Amino acid sequence: MKSSSRLLTSLTLASFVFAAPVAAQESGSMAVGGATVTVGAGTAILTLPDVPSLMFRGSSGIPSTLLQTFKSSDDFGDEIGWNVNGSIALPMGANKSVSLNGFWANIDDGNSATCTTTAIFGETCGVPPLVDDPALAQFTGFGGLVQLNSRSEREVDHWGASLESKWRLNPGVMGVTRAPHQRTFALGADIRGIDQDLNETILSPTNPAFSAVYNEDLDTRYYGAYAAWGGGYSLPFLSGLTGGLGLRSSFLLRGGVYYADTDYSGRLTTAGAAFSANSALSLSDSDVAFIGGLVLETRKRIGRRAMLSLKSEYEYYTYVPEMAYNQEDVRLGINPVLLGAQLGTRIGSDDAFSARTSLRLTIKLGPDSVMEPR
């Protein structure tokens, strides 16, 4: 994972509290003069694509027929990680503010798989190289690897930073006895990152001399801009209860267009195999992505200058990278692999969903400052 992203996110741990309805933790905020500074922490999920294992089961002949593949990371969206976030907001008049926002989420998981076969049936377990070379038997096994055990660890940093201008809209009352909810409109410049580290170790209990270690960095940057619109709301059947408790709720719809840039770096090191699969590869890919979602927040003023809020954010990404490795024949519909022209390791694409949850405390400081009920 790029150290620059860690530095950037640590410098911009400043975003409004993003969230999903998974367990929330505390956060804090304070304001000096007209500025408001918010920090928070909570939970995060991210539904990234599954990652295939380099380990496979196939026939022992040349070419080998691919019989079974395995996964290094499965159902990553079931994992719950953590996030930290914050924002710095400056008022620019009665109805406008400018803010710097940021978040950093970390999620990880582990997975194990076993390839088992019997050599007398003409099958074997093996590992292909990352790079396609039609002149070589692209195969580490060849009958001697009756069993392989794979253990993988996947760690993901999901982060973002934005500069946003927000306007408070004041709808007319138009003769009604109760004023309508206030609305807001915002425009922002945004950078996002999804940085993935994958480490897979493959060993053979039936051939202790064999080992394969695979290390992968898969980093994606999103550069773009977004627009947002929202405001307060109340549910008729709960308005009496929430009003009595002093709770105020709001929503925000946000969407933007981004340029997505992905860099892949992989290295495979093997030992004790009939054929070496040692290889290293770097790839890149780019695409246009849409990132959009819904933010829900409920606030309660707990003092003259303090407000407690729970904020949940749901986001959809139309593009995230999906890796495929050198296990498929270049001839469509042909199953035998690992000798001749293969498709090679490549970057594909899929979509993803993210959610983050936090609880935040806002304290407004300054001469005669009062926390406004929004």
Side-chain angles (χ1 to χ4, degrees), residues 51-315:
V51 179
S53 171
L54 289 183
M55 180 177 68
F56 71 92
R57 182 172 65 90
S59 63
S60 298
I62 299 179
S64 174
T65 299
L66 185 63
L67 301 176
Q68 184 180 8
T69 59
F70 304 88
K71 292 182 179 180
S72 291
S73 178
D74 191 12
D75 296 328
F76 192 77
D78 292 342
E79 304 298 327
I80 298 178
W82 53 268
N83 84 89
V84 290
N85 52 75
S87 68
I88 302 173
L90 295 173
M92 305 296 288
N95 295 315
K96 181 183 177 181
S97 63
V98 175
S99 62
L100 176 65
N101 314 293
F103 74 90
W104 181 15
N106 179 270
I107 310 170
D108 59 51
D109 80 337
N111 195 50
S112 59
T114 298
C115 172
T116 302
T117 187
T118 303
I120 60 174
F121 293 140
E123 298 178 357
T124 188
C125 300
V127 178
L130 297 176
V131 181
D132 172 53
D133 188 346
L136 299 178
Q138 302 179 61
F139 195 4
T140 61
F142 251 165
L145 301 178
V146 176
Q147 181 175 331
L148 288 179
N149 296 327
S150 168
R151 178 63 188 174
S152 303
E153 298 292 338
R154 187 183 191 184
E155 181 178 4
V156 177
D157 284 345
H158 182 203
W159 57 271
S162 66
L163 181 63
E164 179 182 278
S165 293
K166 179 183 292 185
W167 293 266
R168 297 168 65 179
L169 309 178
N170 295 308
V173 177
M174 297 182 295
V176 298
T177 57
R178 187 169 64 180
H181 292 290
Q182 188 177 76
R183 295 290 180 251
T184 61
F185 176 75
L187 295 174
D190 197 13
I191 178 174
R192 301 289 185 97
I194 299 179
D195 298 337
Q196 306 181 55
D197 283 351
L198 177 68
N199 299 291
E200 181 179 17
T201 300
I202 303 173
L203 302 174
S204 173
T206 58
N207 184 0
F210 175 83
S211 67
V213 178
Y214 175 62
N215 306 110
E216 175 182 297
D217 290 329
L218 185 63
D219 300 333
T220 303
R221 299 287 179 270
Y222 300 86
Y223 307 95
Y226 63 85
W229 176 84
Y233 73 93
S234 59
L235 300 175
F237 57 90
L238 291 177
S239 58
L241 175 62
T242 57
L245 295 175
L247 301 177
R248 294 176 179 268
S249 298
S250 65
F251 72 94
L252 187 70
L253 296 171
R254 182 174 56 220
V257 178
Y258 294 76
Y259 170 74
D261 183 33
T262 297
D263 290 323
Y264 160 86
S265 176
R267 177 176 294 276
L268 174 64
T269 304
T270 63
F275 296 96
S276 173
N278 292 348
S279 50
L281 182 64
S282 296
L283 299 171
S284 62
D285 185 42
S286 61
D287 207 336
V288 175
F290 172 81
I291 302 176
L294 171 67
V295 180
L296 298 175
E297 185 172 16
T298 297
R299 306 175 179 86
K300 177 178 175 57
R301 200 167 80 173
I302 57 176
R304 179 180 173 84
R305 302 169 185 259
M307 184 175 293
L308 188 68
S309 67
L310 177 67
K311 195 170 187 177
S312 297
E313 181 189 70
Y314 312 89
E315 285 188 319

